[in-house]
Amino acid sequence: MTIVRLGYVAMSMELQNASPSKTMTFTQFQKIEDREAALRKLERIALSNLENTLRLLKHNAASDIHFYRLTSRLIPLAGHEELLDWNYMKPLKEALREVGNFANKHEIRIDFHPDHFVLINSTEKHIFKNSIKTLKLHYLLLKGMGINPVHRCVMHVGGNYKETEKSLERFIDNWMDVPNPIQKMIMLENDDTSFTLDDTLYLCEKLEIPLVFDYHHHLAHHENENWRENWERVVHTWSSSPLPIKMHISSPKSDKEFRHHSDYVDINMFFNFLKEINGSIPHIDCMIEAKQKDAALFRLMEDVKKRNDVELIDGSSFHLK
């Protein structure tokens, strides 16, 4: 029997005033004449984001949720080219450690999904350079939390530039310039427009990167519809990881808007996947990418409870029979 554990992304639909992504634009920053005062305001916003992250983790622990994706927007303007002298880690040290300690104590798996502008296979050197800078920020945040950064950032392969093979090879070329600790932090997922499961597997096997299988993306964009043929290869990419295999689950908004995420998860679609992998692995963590965030997780668990092919473990986990 495979254990299935559910997680959700960044925001809660239940907790009020708990956004971990409050921000300030650089234009707003510039309007504050006293630069030191402007930096202190940025730090206050970042501290508020971390306080709300801790609130979200406490909500997760109370709800038996063991898997959570942090927002990549915890620290506004971190890494901005005009603020390179800002040591944002120092004032956040205690708050970061508190978040990490709570996650570790309650065994909550946390990770990141950096924004789409983080492109390892970019054709532009400055974009690649900025991408590494952003990934270093994620690395520093994880280290500041006291969390092992290995396999904590899931990313798309990047831009296709209408040349799939060249774009894949450019990823490999640029990968050689990615610092080793950052390399170890990364997981790759197949996407819904540019790089299929087969494309992504090619990179993951060649560069020893775990592959996060996105079932919805695969249905939207594939060469070979039968993903089961590659499942053992996907599992093998996780063989050296300290973490259980993970996948992404979401459902199409509609037939017309198939690529768009729905508010909730279609349980039949989800179990079509789970039935196929049951018994092939001991444990899988499934990140719900639905508009209704934790509310989608709670509704999915209500649907799961009505099934006779599962055995419940707690509020977000179950055995497949």
Side-chain angles (χ1 to χ4, degrees), residues 85-131:
D85 59 330
W86 176 35
N87 179 7
Y88 49 81
M89 293 299 290
K90 192 176 178 183
L92 306 179
K93 187 177 178 181
E94 287 180 24
L96 283 167
R97 184 60 67 165
E98 202 175 354
V99 167
N101 285 346
F102 190 89
N104 287 329
K105 180 183 176 183
H106 293 272
E107 298 181 347
I108 299 172
R109 176 179 183 172
I110 59 176
D111 61 17
F112 284 108
H113 193 343
D115 289 328
H116 57 86
F117 57 78
V118 178
L119 294 168
I120 285 177
N121 77 339
S122 177
T123 56
E124 305 284 336
K125 278 190 176 177
H126 74 279
I127 293 176
F128 173 68
K129 195 176 171 185
N130 285 337
S131 298

Side-chain angles (χ1 to χ4, degrees), residues 68-74 110-114 137-139 141-142 145 152-155 185 187 246:
Y68 172 70
R69 180 188 297 165
L70 295 161
T71 175
S72 288
R73 297 172 184 173
L74 287 171
I110 59 176
D111 61 17
F112 284 108
H113 193 343
L137 163 64
H138 289 77
Y139 179 83
L141 288 173
L142 289 163
M145 291 175 191
R152 297 285 181 169
C153 274
V154 63
M155 297 175 58
M185 189 173 68
M187 305 166 279
K246 70 171 274 198

Side-chain angles (χ1 to χ4, degrees), residues 214-274:
D214 191 307
Y215 185 53
H216 180 187
H217 284 174
H218 174 76
L219 296 178
H221 181 58
H222 53 258
E223 293 159 24
N224 174 11
E225 189 176 358
N226 188 0
W227 58 270
R228 299 160 202 82
E229 291 178 5
N230 285 322
W231 180 246
E232 285 301 315
R233 292 171 64 196
V234 172
V235 172
H236 188 68
T237 65
W238 287 87
S239 58
S240 63
S241 178
L243 298 167
I245 187 170
K246 70 171 274 198
M247 61 88 68
H248 290 169
I249 185 65
S250 54
S251 300
K253 188 175 180 182
S254 65
D255 287 341
K256 192 176 179 183
E257 295 179 288
F258 192 86
R259 286 185 166 89
H260 294 265
H261 291 178
S262 176
D263 283 350
Y264 298 97
V265 174
D266 178 338
I267 192 166
N268 294 320
M269 177 180 161
F270 187 30
F271 270 78
N272 285 342
F273 168 78
L274 292 179

Side-chain angles (χ1 to χ4, degrees), residues 13 15 51 255 288 318:
M13 305 307 285
L15 287 187
E51 283 165 13
D255 287 341
I288 294 169
F318 53 91

